[in-house]
Amino acid sequence: MPRLIIDTDPGVDDAFALALAARSPEVDLLAVTTVFGNVGLAATTHNALRVLALCGREDVPVAVGAARPLVHPQPREATAAHGADGLSGRAATLPARGRGVEPVDAVTLMAQVLQASPEPVTLVPIGPLTNIALLLAAHPGVKPKIDRLVIMGGGLSGGNCTAAAEFNLWCDPEAARRVLVVEDLPTVLVPIDLTYRCAVDNHWLARLAATGPIGAALDSLTGVYRAHYRESMGFDGTVIHDAVAVAEAIRPGILATTRLPVAVETAFGPARGSVIADRRLTSFADESGARPIDVALDTDLDALRAFILSRLS
Ligand code: RIB
Ligand code: CA
């Protein structure tokens, strides 16, 4: 039974990812923690609570994390893609959750849950990595309780928020470098190189909407998000980036990974926030301080889409 902690900045695709975990019977969703990112922390927290309420999950503790990056300010939010409220302007249409946030912060909750867990836990960051960097800095003793990190982020062949950088890593490159390169936990990185290929079309969304109230509600959150992809990608559908990472956390191996040395650029300039993966056949002397991690670069696209649809139904 996968034991998960999801760190999230909902966010339309985060909503699909949270619902995927919340509605998968074999998943033990131990906690959800929130972080700034797509929109501000108050909105991401509000949205996380409401998506869990939509999925009937009052049992899952939610704790509030970082409101800003470790060192430098967040360059900008992603309201153009997710709407001002983070859910295409539809956040208020989701049910309110009776149970509010926990009295402790996200890092404290993650540490408490990890220390109390009898089995190792998979951490699934699907937003900026600030909370994870803080957890590992403040509570290194919990590392034996983390079996792996499954992280949505990075772009090996270019970015989505700049030409070089993907949004999650770009929001806090210092945190991304700490977690991906300096730390030594087993890590699967799920980059946009794969998540874009996993995009779902309007037919898939229509099938989701027809499955029942949860599917219909999730589909109702995609208006601004789909318009963003139509305008920016010429694609009529949506890219549920975060759900691809959660699918791997739920079903290890559903994504095909390749071990690659990666580095993260933290210098200011056109490449800040980018991930550099060394795909040369024989890596030369390591001058970049890169660390070998598992990068997800392929999957059975139809099987993955069917898996996600089946769980959200
Ligand atoms: O680049 C995609 C990532 O940025 C996803 O996590 C999406 O929610 C946004 O946060
Ligand atoms: Ca996200």
Side-chain angles (χ1 to χ4, degrees):
M1 172 180 271
R3 304 165 68 80
L4 307 184
I5 295 174
I6 298 178
D7 189 67
T8 180
D9 64 331
V12 173
D13 59 323
D14 302 70
F16 280 70
L18 283 175
L20 174 61
R23 303 291 296 169
S24 289
E26 75 272 34
V27 167
D28 191 353
L29 185 53
L30 297 175
V32 169
T33 52
T34 59
V35 65
F36 74 95
N38 286 315
V39 288
L41 180 63
T44 62
T45 302
H46 170 275
N47 296 343
L49 289 168
R50 293 216 172 200
V51 170
L52 288 170
L54 170 72
C55 297
R57 298 305 302 270
E58 294 269 341
D59 61 304
V60 178
V62 175
V64 182
R68 60 157 181 79
L70 292 181
V71 181
H72 300 288
Q74 178 186 10
R76 63 172 148 78
E77 296 177 344
T79 52
H82 296 268
D85 69 352
L87 294 177
S88 295
R90 305 277 298 172
T93 66
L94 298 181
R97 193 170 94 149
R99 179 179 181 181
V101 296
E102 298 303 296
V104 296
D105 67 279
V107 172
T108 301
L109 181 65
M110 285 193 279
Q112 290 174 344
V113 167
L114 289 166
Q115 284 156 356
S117 177
E119 300 293 330
V121 176
T122 298
L123 287 192
V124 191
I126 53 176
L129 291 170
T130 313
N131 289 338
I132 310 305
L134 292 168
L135 170 72
L136 298 176
H139 301 277
V142 302
K143 288 168 66 173
K145 288 296 190 68
I146 302 170
D147 67 358
R148 64 177 184 156
L149 302 175
V150 180
I151 299 170
M152 193 279 132
L156 276 53
S157 307
N160 58 0
C161 62
T162 71
E166 176 278 329
F167 183 79
N168 287 340
L169 305 193
W170 180 72
C171 279
D172 194 342
E174 283 76 17
R177 181 174 179 277
R178 286 262 0 142
V179 174
L180 290 173
V181 183
V182 180
E183 296 293 349
D184 57 358
L185 287 166
T187 298
V188 175
L189 182 68
V190 184
I192 56 175
D193 309 71
L194 178 57
T195 59
Y196 274 110
R197 292 176 51 210
C198 302
V200 293
D201 62 15
N202 290 339
H203 175 64
W204 187 96
L205 288 165
R207 289 172 60 200
L208 172 66
T211 60
I214 293 176
L218 290 171
D219 179 53
S220 76
L221 304 180
T222 62
V224 170
Y225 199 62
R226 286 158 74 169
H228 167 75
Y229 280 101
R230 201 162 37 245
E231 290 155 21
S232 60
M233 300 286 293
F235 173 78
D236 208 359
T238 188
V239 189
I240 47 179
H241 303 277
D242 295 332
V244 179
V246 168
E248 169 61 27
I250 294 171
R251 188 166 285 182
I254 198 170
L255 306 183
T257 62
T258 304
R259 179 149 288 227
L260 294 172
V262 302
V264 175
E265 179 59 79
T266 56
F268 279 88
R272 175 166 167 81
S274 63
V275 63
I276 301 95
D278 190 342
R279 289 187 271 193
R280 294 173 293 177
L281 289 178
T282 53
S283 296
F284 297 88
D286 177 3
E287 297 155 7
S288 62
R291 173 170 79 107
I293 63 171
D294 296 318
V295 182
L297 291 173
D298 204 0
T299 190
D300 179 330
L301 298 173
D302 290 337
L304 180 76
R305 294 185 188 109
F307 170 70
I308 295 171
L309 182 61
S310 70
R311 292 302 172 84
L312 296 180
S313 300

